[in-house]
Amino acid sequence: MYVGLAWHFWNTRWRGRAPAGVQQAGLRGWERAAILVPLGLHGWLLYQGVLGKELRFGFAQALSVMMFIGVALYWVESLFYSLEGMQPLVLPLAAVAAPLPALFPGLALSGAHAQATEFKLHLALAMIAYGLFVIALLHATLMAAAERQLHRRGAIAFPNLPPLLTLETLLFRMIGAAFVFLTLTLITGIAFSEELFGRALRFEHKTVFAVLSWLTFAWLLAGRWRYGWRGRTALRWTLSGFVMLLFAYVGSRFVLEVLLGRS
């Protein structure tokens, strides 16, 4: 269903002109309702697979939750802003991520720490931060496409993209919100680590990449405030911070579960 909708939006938003009234009003009623159907099924599958009989999590679950939150955030955001052109980006990624937990079941988390409120809060905050950064990265991608159009002569490849200034405003709002949740994720991670292991920070690759990602996005927001960074500069810093954030958990779990065959 995600793929079918992505194909529909690719044909109506990117390849050709949007149907009458779409560019001004955003999603039509049936399109908005249609997105909710796979989104609801996706959420139900995640609940059954992650929170069913036991708490189970791994890189596949992280990617699936990340894209579920990403699509949900896009749907809510589209109620207030016209985001034509975002759909062909976010929906295919969700289509790839949704079945991954069935192929890679992840690690069953047991013990007292898995049931601790601090751990569940930390996990929830991290996934919300991931989802917000996914949407921010897609906003940056659309910004790059819109900026390229401004310097291109002749026919416009993507006639229904939102205005560049709108994309830029939304991008930094998303990055700002994601940065807040990433900060809360690090704070709860420090508190949880101190309670479980007796020390605030464990010096390992996840900690290093998470802190580097936090510093990257902090520098980007500071550069935006102090120097007015935008366009390709914002895209490069957003991509760099997101890649480091992926390595903080998703990348390491992928190496352990798939390449090394460990849990």
Side-chain angles (χ1 to χ4, degrees), residues 22-93:
V22 169
Q23 192 163 348
Q24 291 74 27
L27 293 175
R28 289 181 288 178
W30 76 265
E31 292 174 331
R32 191 176 300 282
I35 293 175
L36 284 179
V37 177
L39 184 64
L41 291 173
H42 192 175
W44 178 78
L45 286 173
L46 284 173
Y47 177 81
Q48 294 294 322
V50 176
L51 301 173
K53 297 180 179 179
E54 58 185 354
L55 182 60
R56 181 173 289 275
F57 212 74
F59 86 94
Q61 288 76 13
L63 288 174
S64 189
V65 171
M66 185 192 315
M67 291 315 306
F68 170 78
I69 294 175
V71 175
L73 287 172
Y74 158 75
W75 192 90
V76 173
E77 191 182 16
S78 68
L79 294 172
F80 305 97
Y81 301 96
S82 177
L83 295 173
E84 300 306 322
M86 180 73 76
Q87 310 94 337
L89 296 177
V90 69
L91 293 173
L93 294 175

Coordinates of all heavy atoms in Angstrom, one line a residue, residues 22-93:
V22 N -5.1 20.7 -6.1 CA -4.2 20.0 -5.1 C -3.0 20.9 -4.7 O -2.7 21.0 -3.5 CB -3.6 18.7 -5.7 CG1 -2.5 18.2 -4.9 CG2 -4.7 17.7 -5.9
Q23 N -2.5 21.7 -5.7 CA -1.3 22.5 -5.3 C -1.7 23.6 -4.3 O -0.9 24.0 -3.5 CB -0.8 23.2 -6.6 CG 0.6 23.8 -6.4 CD 1.3 24.1 -7.7 OE1 0.9 23.6 -8.7 NE2 2.4 24.8 -7.6
Q24 N -3.0 24.1 -4.3 CA -3.3 25.1 -3.3 C -3.8 24.4 -2.0 O -3.5 24.9 -1.0 CB -4.5 25.9 -3.9 CG -4.1 26.8 -5.1 CD -3.9 26.1 -6.4 OE1 -4.5 25.0 -6.6 NE2 -3.1 26.6 -7.2
A25 N -4.5 23.3 -2.1 CA -5.1 22.7 -0.9 C -4.3 21.6 -0.3 O -4.7 21.1 0.7 CB -6.5 22.3 -1.3
G26 N -3.3 21.1 -0.9 CA -2.5 20.0 -0.4 C -3.2 18.7 -0.7 O -3.7 18.5 -1.8
L27 N -3.1 17.8 0.2 CA -3.7 16.4 0.0 C -5.2 16.5 -0.2 O -5.9 17.3 0.6 CB -3.4 15.5 1.2 CG -1.9 15.1 1.4 CD1 -1.8 14.3 2.6 CD2 -1.4 14.3 0.2
R28 N -5.7 15.7 -1.1 CA -7.2 15.6 -1.2 C -7.7 14.6 -0.1 O -6.9 13.9 0.5 CB -7.6 15.1 -2.5 CG -7.4 16.1 -3.7 CD -7.8 15.5 -5.0 NE -6.8 14.6 -5.5 CZ -7.0 13.9 -6.6 NH1 -8.0 14.1 -7.4 NH2 -6.0 13.0 -7.0
G29 N -9.0 14.7 0.2 CA -9.5 13.9 1.3 C -9.2 12.4 1.2 O -8.8 11.8 2.2
W30 N -9.4 11.9 0.0 CA -9.2 10.4 -0.1 C -7.7 10.1 0.0 O -7.4 9.0 0.5 CB -9.8 9.9 -1.4 CG -9.0 10.2 -2.7 CD1 -9.1 11.3 -3.5 CD2 -7.9 9.5 -3.2 NE1 -8.2 11.3 -4.5 CE2 -7.4 10.2 -4.4 CE3 -7.2 8.3 -2.8 CZ2 -6.4 9.7 -5.1 CZ3 -6.2 7.8 -3.6 CH2 -5.8 8.5 -4.7
E31 N -6.8 11.0 -0.4 CA -5.4 10.7 -0.3 C -5.0 10.7 1.2 O -4.2 9.8 1.6 CB -4.6 11.8 -1.1 CG -4.8 11.7 -2.6 CD -4.1 12.8 -3.3 OE1 -4.0 13.9 -2.7 OE2 -3.7 12.7 -4.5
R32 N -5.5 11.7 1.9 CA -5.2 11.7 3.3 C -5.7 10.5 4.1 O -5.0 9.9 4.9 CB -5.8 13.0 4.0 CG -5.3 13.3 5.4 CD -5.9 14.6 5.8 NE -5.5 15.7 5.0 CZ -4.4 16.3 5.0 NH1 -3.4 15.9 5.9 NH2 -4.1 17.3 4.2
A33 N -6.9 10.0 3.7 CA -7.5 8.8 4.3 C -6.7 7.6 3.9 O -6.4 6.7 4.7 CB -8.9 8.7 4.0
A34 N -6.3 7.6 2.6 CA -5.5 6.4 2.1 C -4.2 6.2 2.8 O -3.8 5.1 3.0 CB -5.3 6.5 0.6
I35 N -3.5 7.3 3.1 CA -2.2 7.2 3.9 C -2.4 6.6 5.2 O -1.6 5.8 5.8 CB -1.6 8.6 3.9 CG1 -1.1 9.0 2.6 CG2 -0.3 8.5 4.9 CD1 -0.6 10.4 2.5
L36 N -3.6 6.9 5.9 CA -3.8 6.4 7.2 C -4.0 4.9 7.3 O -3.7 4.3 8.3 CB -5.1 7.0 7.8 CG -5.0 8.5 8.3 CD1 -6.3 9.0 8.8 CD2 -3.9 8.6 9.4
V37 N -4.4 4.3 6.2 CA -4.6 2.8 6.2 C -3.3 2.0 6.3 O -3.2 1.3 7.3 CB -5.4 2.4 4.9 CG1 -5.6 0.9 4.9 CG2 -6.7 3.1 4.8
P38 N -2.3 2.2 5.5 CA -1.1 1.5 5.7 C -0.4 2.0 7.0 O 0.3 1.2 7.6 CB -0.2 1.8 4.5 CG -0.8 3.0 3.9 CD -2.3 3.0 4.2
L39 N -0.6 3.2 7.3 CA 0.1 3.7 8.6 C -0.5 3.0 9.8 O 0.2 2.6 10.7 CB -0.2 5.3 8.7 CG 0.5 6.0 9.9 CD1 2.0 5.9 9.8 CD2 0.1 7.4 9.9
G40 N -1.8 2.8 9.8 CA -2.5 2.1 10.9 C -2.0 0.7 11.0 O -1.7 0.1 12.0
L41 N -1.9 0.0 9.8 CA -1.5 -1.4 9.8 C 0.0 -1.5 10.2 O 0.4 -2.4 10.9 CB -1.6 -1.9 8.3 CG -3.1 -2.2 7.9 CD1 -3.1 -2.6 6.4 CD2 -3.7 -3.2 8.7
H42 N 0.8 -0.5 9.8 CA 2.2 -0.5 10.2 C 2.3 -0.4 11.7 O 3.1 -1.1 12.3 CB 2.8 0.7 9.5 CG 4.3 0.7 9.6 ND1 5.1 1.7 8.9 CD2 5.2 0.0 10.2 CE1 6.4 1.5 9.2 NE2 6.5 0.4 10.0
G43 N 1.5 0.5 12.3 CA 1.5 0.7 13.7 C 1.1 -0.6 14.5 O 1.7 -0.9 15.5
W44 N 0.1 -1.3 13.9 CA -0.4 -2.5 14.6 C 0.7 -3.6 14.5 O 1.0 -4.3 15.5 CB -1.6 -3.0 13.9 CG -2.2 -4.3 14.4 CD1 -2.9 -4.4 15.6 CD2 -2.0 -5.6 13.8 NE1 -3.2 -5.8 15.8 CE2 -2.7 -6.5 14.7 CE3 -1.4 -6.0 12.7 CZ2 -2.7 -7.8 14.4 CZ3 -1.5 -7.4 12.4 CH2 -2.1 -8.3 13.3
L45 N 1.4 -3.7 13.4 CA 2.5 -4.7 13.2 C 3.6 -4.4 14.2 O 4.2 -5.3 14.8 CB 3.0 -4.7 11.8 CG 2.1 -5.3 10.7 CD1 2.6 -5.1 9.3 CD2 1.9 -6.8 11.0
L46 N 3.9 -3.1 14.3 CA 5.0 -2.7 15.3 C 4.6 -3.1 16.7 O 5.5 -3.6 17.5 CB 5.3 -1.2 15.1 CG 6.1 -0.8 13.9 CD1 6.2 0.7 13.8 CD2 7.5 -1.4 14.0
Y47 N 3.4 -2.8 17.0 CA 2.9 -3.1 18.4 C 3.0 -4.6 18.7 O 3.5 -5.0 19.7 CB 1.5 -2.6 18.6 CG 1.0 -3.0 20.0 CD1 1.3 -2.2 21.1 CD2 0.1 -4.1 20.2 CE1 0.8 -2.5 22.3 CE2 -0.4 -4.4 21.4 CZ 0.0 -3.6 22.5 OH -0.5 -4.0 23.7
Q48 N 2.6 -5.4 17.7 CA 2.6 -6.9 17.9 C 4.1 -7.4 17.9 O 4.4 -8.3 18.6 CB 1.9 -7.5 16.7 CG 0.4 -7.3 16.7 CD -0.3 -7.9 17.9 OE1 0.0 -9.0 18.4 NE2 -1.3 -7.2 18.5
G49 N 4.9 -6.8 17.1 CA 6.3 -7.3 16.9 C 7.2 -6.8 18.0 O 8.2 -7.5 18.4
V50 N 7.0 -5.6 18.5 CA 7.9 -5.0 19.5 C 7.4 -5.1 20.9 O 8.2 -5.4 21.8 CB 8.2 -3.5 19.1 CG1 9.1 -2.9 20.2 CG2 8.8 -3.4 17.7
L51 N 6.1 -4.9 21.1 CA 5.6 -4.9 22.4 C 4.6 -6.0 22.7 O 3.8 -6.0 23.7 CB 4.9 -3.5 22.7 CG 5.7 -2.3 22.5 CD1 4.9 -1.0 22.6 CD2 6.8 -2.3 23.6
G52 N 4.6 -7.1 21.9 CA 3.7 -8.2 22.0 C 3.9 -9.0 23.3 O 3.7 -8.5 24.4
K53 N 4.3 -10.2 23.1 CA 4.6 -11.1 24.2 C 5.8 -10.6 25.0 O 5.9 -10.9 26.2 CB 4.7 -12.5 23.8 CG 3.5 -13.1 23.1 CD 3.7 -14.5 22.7 CE 2.4 -15.1 22.0 NZ 2.6 -16.5 21.6
E54 N 6.8 -10.1 24.4 CA 8.0 -9.6 25.0 C 8.5 -8.4 24.3 O 8.2 -8.2 23.1 CB 9.1 -10.7 25.0 CG 9.4 -11.2 23.6 CD 10.3 -12.4 23.6 OE1 10.8 -12.8 24.7 OE2 10.6 -13.0 22.5
L55 N 9.3 -7.6 25.0 CA 10.0 -6.5 24.4 C 11.1 -6.9 23.5 O 12.0 -7.5 23.9 CB 10.5 -5.5 25.4 CG 11.1 -4.2 24.9 CD1 10.1 -3.4 24.1 CD2 11.7 -3.4 26.1
R56 N 11.0 -6.6 22.2 CA 11.9 -7.1 21.2 C 12.4 -5.9 20.3 O 11.5 -5.2 19.8 CB 11.3 -8.2 20.3 CG 12.3 -8.8 19.3 CD 11.6 -10.0 18.6 NE 11.6 -11.1 19.5 CZ 12.5 -12.0 19.7 NH1 13.7 -11.9 19.0 NH2 12.4 -13.0 20.5
F57 N 13.7 -5.8 20.2 CA 14.2 -4.6 19.5 C 15.5 -4.9 18.8 O 16.3 -5.7 19.3 CB 14.3 -3.4 20.4 CG 14.1 -2.1 19.8 CD1 12.8 -1.7 19.4 CD2 15.1 -1.2 19.5 CE1 12.5 -0.5 18.8 CE2 14.9 0.0 18.9 CZ 13.6 0.4 18.5
G58 N 15.7 -4.3 17.7 CA 17.0 -4.4 16.9 C 17.0 -3.3 15.8 O 16.2 -2.4 15.8
F59 N 18.0 -3.5 14.9 CA 18.1 -2.4 13.9 C 16.8 -2.4 13.0 O 16.4 -1.3 12.6 CB 19.3 -2.7 13.0 CG 19.1 -3.6 11.9 CD1 18.8 -3.1 10.6 CD2 19.2 -5.0 12.1 CE1 18.6 -4.0 9.6 CE2 19.0 -5.9 11.0 CZ 18.7 -5.4 9.8
A60 N 16.2 -3.5 12.7 CA 15.0 -3.6 11.8 C 13.9 -2.9 12.5 O 13.1 -2.1 11.9 CB 14.7 -5.0 11.5
Q61 N 13.7 -3.2 13.8 CA 12.6 -2.5 14.5 C 12.8 -1.0 14.6 O 11.9 -0.2 14.5 CB 12.5 -3.1 15.9 CG 11.9 -4.5 16.0 CD 12.9 -5.6 15.6 OE1 14.1 -5.3 15.5 NE2 12.4 -6.8 15.3
A62 N 14.1 -0.6 14.8 CA 14.4 0.8 14.9 C 14.1 1.5 13.6 O 13.5 2.6 13.6 CB 15.9 1.0 15.3
L63 N 14.5 0.9 12.5 CA 14.2 1.5 11.2 C 12.7 1.6 10.9 O 12.2 2.6 10.4 CB 14.9 0.8 10.1 CG 16.4 0.9 10.0 CD1 17.0 0.0 8.9 CD2 16.8 2.4 9.6
S64 N 12.0 0.5 11.3 CA 10.5 0.5 11.0 C 9.8 1.5 11.9 O 8.9 2.3 11.4 CB 10.0 -0.9 11.3 OG 8.6 -1.0 10.9
V65 N 10.2 1.6 13.2 CA 9.6 2.6 14.0 C 9.9 4.0 13.5 O 9.0 4.9 13.5 CB 10.1 2.5 15.5 CG1 9.6 3.6 16.4 CG2 9.5 1.1 16.1
M66 N 11.1 4.2 13.1 CA 11.6 5.5 12.6 C 10.7 6.0 11.4 O 10.3 7.1 11.4 CB 13.1 5.4 12.2 CG 13.7 6.7 11.7 SD 15.3 6.4 10.9 CE 16.0 5.2 12.0
M67 N 10.5 5.1 10.5 CA 9.7 5.5 9.3 C 8.2 5.6 9.6 O 7.5 6.4 9.0 CB 9.9 4.5 8.2 CG 11.3 4.6 7.6 SD 11.9 6.3 7.3 CE 10.6 6.9 6.3
F68 N 7.7 4.8 10.6 CA 6.3 4.9 11.0 C 6.1 6.3 11.6 O 5.1 7.0 11.3 CB 6.0 3.9 12.1 CG 4.7 4.1 12.8 CD1 3.5 3.8 12.1 CD2 4.6 4.7 14.0 CE1 2.2 4.0 12.8 CE2 3.4 4.9 14.7 CZ 2.2 4.6 14.0
I69 N 7.0 6.7 12.5 CA 6.9 8.1 13.0 C 7.1 9.1 12.0 O 6.4 10.2 12.0 CB 8.0 8.3 14.2 CG1 7.7 7.3 15.3 CG2 8.0 9.7 14.6 CD1 8.7 7.3 16.4
G70 N 8.0 8.9 11.0 CA 8.2 9.8 9.9 C 7.0 10.0 9.1 O 6.6 11.2 8.8
V71 N 6.3 9.0 8.7 CA 5.0 9.1 7.9 C 4.0 9.8 8.8 O 3.2 10.7 8.3 CB 4.5 7.7 7.4 CG1 3.2 7.9 6.7 CG2 5.5 7.1 6.5
A72 N 3.9 9.4 10.1 CA 2.9 10.1 10.9 C 3.1 11.6 11.1 O 2.2 12.4 11.0 CB 2.9 9.4 12.3
L73 N 4.4 11.9 11.2 CA 4.7 13.3 11.3 C 4.4 14.1 10.1 O 3.9 15.2 10.1 CB 6.2 13.5 11.7 CG 6.6 13.1 13.1 CD1 8.2 13.2 13.3 CD2 6.0 14.1 14.1
Y74 N 4.7 13.5 8.9 CA 4.4 14.1 7.6 C 2.9 14.3 7.5 O 2.4 15.4 7.1 CB 4.8 13.2 6.4 CG 4.1 13.6 5.2 CD1 4.3 14.8 4.5 CD2 3.0 12.8 4.8 CE1 3.6 15.1 3.4 CE2 2.3 13.1 3.7 CZ 2.5 14.3 3.0 OH 1.8 14.6 1.9
W75 N 2.1 13.3 7.9 CA 0.6 13.4 7.8 C 0.1 14.6 8.7 O -0.7 15.3 8.2 CB 0.0 12.1 8.3 CG -1.4 12.0 7.9 CD1 -2.0 11.4 6.8 CD2 -2.6 12.4 8.8 NE1 -3.4 11.5 6.8 CE2 -3.7 12.1 8.0 CE3 -2.7 12.9 10.0 CZ2 -5.0 12.3 8.5 CZ3 -3.9 13.2 10.5 CH2 -5.1 12.9 9.8
V76 N 0.6 14.7 9.9 CA 0.2 15.7 10.8 C 0.7 17.1 10.3 O -0.1 18.1 10.2 CB 0.7 15.5 12.2 CG1 0.4 16.7 13.1 CG2 0.1 14.3 12.8
E77 N 1.9 17.1 9.8 CA 2.5 18.4 9.3 C 1.7 18.9 8.1 O 1.5 20.1 7.9 CB 4.0 18.2 9.0 CG 4.7 19.5 8.7 CD 6.2 19.2 8.3 OE1 6.5 18.0 8.0 OE2 7.0 20.2 8.4
S78 N 1.3 17.9 7.2 CA 0.5 18.3 6.0 C -0.8 18.9 6.3 O -1.4 19.5 5.4 CB 0.4 17.1 5.1 OG -0.5 16.2 5.7
L79 N -1.3 18.8 7.5 CA -2.6 19.5 7.9 C -2.4 21.0 8.0 O -3.4 21.7 7.8 CB -3.1 19.0 9.3 CG -3.5 17.5 9.3 CD1 -3.8 17.1 10.8 CD2 -4.8 17.3 8.5
F80 N -1.2 21.4 8.2 CA -0.9 22.9 8.4 C -0.1 23.5 7.3 O -0.1 24.7 7.1 CB -0.1 23.1 9.7 CG -0.8 22.5 10.9 CD1 -0.5 21.2 11.4 CD2 -1.9 23.1 11.5 CE1 -1.1 20.6 12.5 CE2 -2.5 22.6 12.6 CZ -2.1 21.3 13.1
Y81 N 0.6 22.7 6.5 CA 1.5 23.2 5.4 C 1.3 22.4 4.2 O 1.1 21.1 4.3 CB 3.0 23.2 5.8 CG 3.3 24.0 7.0 CD1 3.4 23.4 8.3 CD2 3.5 25.4 7.0 CE1 3.7 24.1 9.4 CE2 3.8 26.1 8.1 CZ 3.9 25.5 9.3 OH 4.2 26.2 10.4
S82 N 1.4 23.0 3.0 CA 1.4 22.3 1.8 C 2.8 21.7 1.5 O 3.8 22.4 1.4 CB 1.0 23.2 0.6 OG 1.1 22.5 -0.6
L83 N 2.9 20.3 1.5 CA 4.2 19.6 1.4 C 4.2 18.8 0.2 O 4.6 17.6 0.2 CB 4.4 18.8 2.7 CG 4.6 19.6 3.9 CD1 4.7 18.7 5.1 CD2 5.8 20.5 3.9
E84 N 3.7 19.3 -0.9 CA 3.7 18.5 -2.2 C 5.1 18.2 -2.6 O 6.0 19.1 -2.6 CB 3.0 19.3 -3.3 CG 1.5 19.7 -3.0 CD 0.7 18.4 -2.6 OE1 0.9 17.4 -3.2 OE2 -0.1 18.5 -1.7
G85 N 5.4 16.9 -2.9 CA 6.7 16.5 -3.3 C 7.3 15.6 -2.2 O 8.3 14.9 -2.4
M86 N 6.8 15.7 -0.9 CA 7.4 14.9 0.2 C 6.9 13.5 0.1 O 7.7 12.6 0.4 CB 6.9 15.5 1.5 CG 7.4 14.8 2.7 SD 9.2 15.0 3.1 CE 9.1 16.7 3.7
Q87 N 5.7 13.3 -0.4 CA 5.2 11.9 -0.4 C 6.0 10.9 -1.2 O 6.2 9.8 -0.6 CB 3.7 11.9 -1.0 CG 2.8 13.0 -0.4 CD 2.8 14.2 -1.2 OE1 3.7 14.5 -1.9 NE2 1.7 15.0 -1.1
P88 N 6.5 11.2 -2.4 CA 7.3 10.2 -3.1 C 8.7 9.9 -2.4 O 9.4 9.0 -2.8 CB 7.5 10.8 -4.5 CG 6.5 11.8 -4.6 CD 6.3 12.4 -3.2
L89 N 9.0 10.7 -1.4 CA 10.3 10.4 -0.7 C 10.0 9.5 0.6 O 10.7 8.6 0.8 CB 10.9 11.7 -0.2 CG 11.4 12.6 -1.4 CD1 12.0 13.9 -0.8 CD2 12.5 11.9 -2.2
V90 N 9.0 9.9 1.4 CA 8.8 9.3 2.7 C 8.1 7.9 2.5 O 8.4 7.0 3.2 CB 8.0 10.2 3.6 CG1 6.6 10.4 3.2 CG2 8.1 9.7 5.0
L91 N 7.2 7.8 1.6 CA 6.4 6.5 1.5 C 7.2 5.3 1.0 O 7.1 4.2 1.5 CB 5.2 6.8 0.6 CG 4.1 7.7 1.2 CD1 3.0 8.0 0.1 CD2 3.5 7.2 2.4
P92 N 8.1 5.5 0.0 CA 8.9 4.3 -0.4 C 9.9 3.9 0.8 O 10.1 2.7 0.9 CB 9.7 4.8 -1.6 CG 8.9 5.9 -2.1 CD 8.3 6.6 -0.9
L93 N 10.4 4.8 1.5 CA 11.2 4.4 2.6 C 10.4 3.6 3.7 O 10.9 2.7 4.3 CB 11.8 5.7 3.3 CG 12.8 6.5 2.4 CD1 13.3 7.7 3.1 CD2 14.1 5.6 2.1

